[in-house]
Amino acid sequence: MRQAITSFLLLFTFTWAAEPKKAVAIPEVIITATRSENSASKVPAVVKTLDQKQMAERLVRTFPEALRETPGVMIQKTSNGQGSPFIRGFTGFRNLMLIDGIRFNNSTFREGPNQYWNTIDPQSLSRMEVLPSQGGTLYGSDAIGGTVNAFTKDSGYLSEAEGGFFAHGQADYRHSTAEHSNVERLETSIGEGQKWGLHAGVTLSQFGDVTDGSGRRQPHTGYDNWAFDVRLDVALDDRWTFTAVHQQARQNDAWRTHATTSGVSFAGTAVGTDRIRLFDQERSLSYLRLAGNDLNSFIDAASLTLSLQTAGEEQFRVTGSGATTFQDVDVSTLGVDLQFESLSPIGKLVYGIDYYHDWLETDGANNFAGSVADDSSYDLLGIFLQDEIDLGDRVHLFIGGRFTHIRADAGKFQARHPTTGAVVGMGSYSNEYQNFSASARFIVDLDEEDHYQLYGGVSQAFRAPNMSDLTRDDFSQSGVFEIPSPGLSPETYLTLEVGLKAQTESLTTSLGYFYTRIEDMIIRRVITAGPPITVAKANGGDGYMQGVEFAARWQIDPQWSLFGHIAWVEGQADQFIGNTTQKRREPLGKIAPLVGLAGVRWQTMDSRFWTEFVCLTYGEAGRLNAADMADTQRVPQNGTPSFWLVSLRGGCKVNEHLILTASLDNLLNETYRYHGSGSNEPGFGATLSATVVF
C-alpha cells in the first residue's frame, strides 16, 4: 500500500507540472451546494458529480455502487441487495439523500449501514451530486457526512427545435457473468420543443447468486427488482415551468445472507444461525413543482414543491430453532418546499421554508408493533436563509442559517425495562426538539482567469433522533437486539474545512482537509450480555472525524487522459464500556480504510471508440471498536483485508442507433468484500451492455 501511495503522489505531482493543452470546456453547473445554479469554480466546496454518460460507461448495477469510484466515498454492502455509502466516515442516517432536491431520508432509517439507497433506480437518473460535510444549513437534519442529490431524467424538450414535435426513445440491456444478472431498461420521450415534454421509463432487474473470486456461488445473494418513472415538464410561459414526477420501485427477496446458515465465511467471519432472513422493499415518490426564473422583481426566482412518498419494508425471518417472525413497516411522507432567490444590496439571497410529515404504520408477529412504533408521526419544519456576498472580484462569502423544529409522536411500542430489557407493557412517547445551525464559507479566486481557488469555512450540522433511535425493537448487527430508547437529544457537529482546487484547459484537481467535531452522538450501550446481547441508546459519543482528499484528472491531449484520487479518514468517539455508564475513546464504527484509484483513458478524436484501465484499491481496515469486533458475521477479527480491484472497460458507438459497452471486471480475480459487508463481491467476469437509440 505504501508503494501505491507513492505512485499516486508521483502521478499527481506530475499533473500539476504539466503544460495545459487548449480545449473547449463547458462550465459545470452545481445546484446542491447553494440550492441555486452556480458554476463549479464559484462553489465554496469540491462537489463530486456523476452524469448519465459516466454511469452508462461504468455499467453501474445499483445506486450505491454508482458512487464506488467517487473520491471520499467507501461502499458497504450488508448483502448484495443492500448498499450504503460511507461519505467522509459517516453512513446510513448520517448522510442526507435528496431526489430532485426532495428529502429521501425518513424517520425509520436505521443506525449504521442500511438498504434504503438501494431502492433508487440509477437508470432513471440524469446525474448526481455529492456534497461532502455540508447540507445542514440548507437541507436540515442528517447532513453530516454529506448530502447526495440525484436528478431524474427528463425529456430534453428545452434542447429541441421550438414548436416542433419530437419523439425518441432508448432500450438498454446489461448482462454480468459473475453477478449472473440481467438488467433491461426501456424509456421514451415525446413532446413539443421549448413547450412541453413527457419522459417515461421502466427497468427490470434479475440479479442472480454472485460467484466470488474463489469460484464459489454464494447462495441467496440474488434478488429481483423492478422500477418505473414518469416525468412531465411544461413551459407555462417564458418564466414559469410546471413539473410532475412519479417514480416507483420494488425489491423482492433480498436476503440478509450473513445472518443465515447460507452465509459464507470470509477471513474467519462467523456464519449466521437463521434459516431465512429476507427483506422486501417498495418505495414511491410523486411530486408537483412550479418554478419561475427571471421574475424581474425583488424575488428573482421562486419554486413551490409538493411531494408524497411511500416506503414499505417487509422482513421475514425463520430462526435456527424454526421460530417464524414477520415485521412490516409502512411510511408515508408529505413534503412541502417553498424557496425564493433575490438579488439585494447585501448579496444574493436564497431563502425559504420546508416541511416533512411522516405517518408510520407497523406490524409484527406479535400483532402489536413492527420494528418501530406503530400509529406514529414525525415532523420536520425548517426555515433557512443563505446570503452570497461578493467582496470585490475575487473573494466570495456564503453565510447561512437554519432553524428546525422537530416533533416525534410514537403511538405504541413495546416498553422494556431499562436494565433487563424485559417487556413491561405498552409504551408511547412524544417530544419536541429545536436546532439552529449556521455556516460561513468562502472561496477566493487566486488568478484573474478563475483557474485556481482557495476554499474553506465552518459548517454546523445536526441529526435529530428519529423513530428508529427512539422506538426500535429489533435485531441489528450480528445477533444484537436493540430496544426502545426514548429521551434522546439531537446530535450536533461542527466541521472545519480548507482546500485548493484548479480547473484549467487540461487539468482538474483538488486537495482538501476537513475536521468534524462530534458532540452528543447517539451510541449504543449494552443492557444484558445475552444471548442475545441487548442494547439501548443514549447520547454521549463526543469525538471527531478528520480526513484528507486529493483528486486529479489530466487531459494529456484530445485522446489520452490520466485520472485518480486518494482519500484518508480517521475518527474516534466515546463509547460505553460493556453494560456500565463509563466510557472510553474508540475508533468510530466501520471507519473507511485508505482508498485510492488510478486510471488511464483513451478515446478516438470523434469519441466513437474509448477504453479505460482502472485500478481501485482499499487498504486494510484494521481500526476497530468494540462494536465492530462484536459484529463477527461481517467484520473479521483482525479487520477486513486490503484488495486491488482492476478493471478494463470500453465502448463503441457503432452508429447513431447502437452503442456497445463492455467491461472485464476484477482482472486479478480477488476474493474480497468491502469493510463491514456481509457477502463477497464478484470474482473475475465480464459485463456487457447494448443501447439502442430510436
Side-chain angles (χ1 to χ4, degrees), residues 114-297:
N114 54 54
Q115 71 271 29
Y116 307 109
W117 290 28
N118 217 69
T119 63
I120 299 173
D121 179 18
Q123 312 295 327
S124 68
L125 305 178
S126 63
R127 68 192 304 266
M128 62 182 77
E129 297 177 356
V130 180
L131 175 63
S133 296
Q134 293 182 61
T137 300
L138 292 176
Y139 301 102
S141 181
D142 305 354
I144 314 305
T147 301
V148 179
N149 199 355
F151 298 89
T152 58
K153 289 180 178 178
D154 62 20
S155 62
Y157 76 107
L158 291 177
S159 62
E160 300 286 342
E162 184 174 1
F165 180 80
F166 66 89
H168 48 75
Q170 180 173 305
D172 298 280
Y173 174 71
R174 176 191 182 276
H175 173 74
S176 173
T177 59
E179 297 170 3
H180 305 281
S181 66
N182 298 281
V183 179
E184 304 91 16
R185 167 79 176 178
L186 180 64
E187 61 186 43
T188 186
S189 296
I190 61 171
E192 187 176 357
Q194 306 295 313
K195 294 185 177 181
W196 67 274
L198 176 67
H199 175 86
V202 60
T203 305
L204 302 176
S205 306
Q206 308 86 40
F207 300 115
D209 293 339
V210 173
T211 299
D212 65 17
S214 69
R216 172 176 43 194
R217 191 85 173 257
Q218 299 173 94
H220 300 300
T221 51
Y223 64 97
D224 294 331
N225 192 93
W226 60 259
F228 71 89
D229 52 279
V230 181
R231 173 168 174 155
L232 172 67
D233 293 281
V234 180
L236 302 177
D237 57 28
D238 292 339
R239 298 176 181 176
W240 291 92
T241 60
F242 171 78
T243 301
V245 170
H246 177 76
Q247 56 180 225
Q248 193 159 342
R250 182 170 178 87
Q251 187 183 89
N252 295 314
D253 297 336
W255 280 55
R256 195 164 182 171
T257 318
H258 74 88
T260 72
T261 54
S262 298
V264 171
S265 179
F266 173 76
T269 58
V271 174
T273 59
D274 287 351
R275 301 180 187 178
I276 300 174
R277 191 172 182 186
L278 61 83
F279 289 82
D280 292 338
Q281 301 275 145
E282 187 166 2
R283 59 164 289 266
S284 70
L285 165 63
S286 303
Y287 76 81
L288 303 175
R289 175 171 292 159
L290 181 66
N293 290 287
D294 301 322
L295 301 181
N296 296 327
S297 65

Side-chain angles (χ1 to χ4, degrees), residues 41-58:
S41 63
K42 298 298 184 182
V43 171
V46 175
V47 180
K48 289 86 170 180
T49 61
L50 187 66
D51 61 27
Q52 183 178 338
K53 180 176 180 290
Q54 290 171 307
M55 287 187 279
E57 290 182 349
R58 295 177 187 180

Side-chain angles (χ1 to χ4, degrees), residues 652-672:
C652 169
K653 186 176 182 180
V654 179
N655 53 45
E656 294 299 318
H657 302 286
L658 178 62
I659 301 172
L660 301 177
T661 309
S663 176
L664 295 177
D665 308 308
N666 195 357
L667 291 173
L668 302 180
N669 199 30
E670 291 228 33
T671 300
Y672 74 100

Side-chain angles (χ1 to χ4, degrees), residues 418-419 480 524-530 533-536 576-580:
T419 59
V480 175
R524 292 186 172 112
R525 183 172 70 87
V526 174
I527 301 300
T528 63
I533 298 173
T534 303
V535 298
F576 289 107
I577 303 174
N579 61 354
T580 72

Side-chain angles (χ1 to χ4, degrees), residues 481-497:
F481 193 83
E482 184 177 320
I483 66 173
S485 304
L488 300 173
S489 301
E491 308 170 342
T492 58
Y493 302 82
L494 180 69
T495 296
L496 305 174
E497 183 176 12

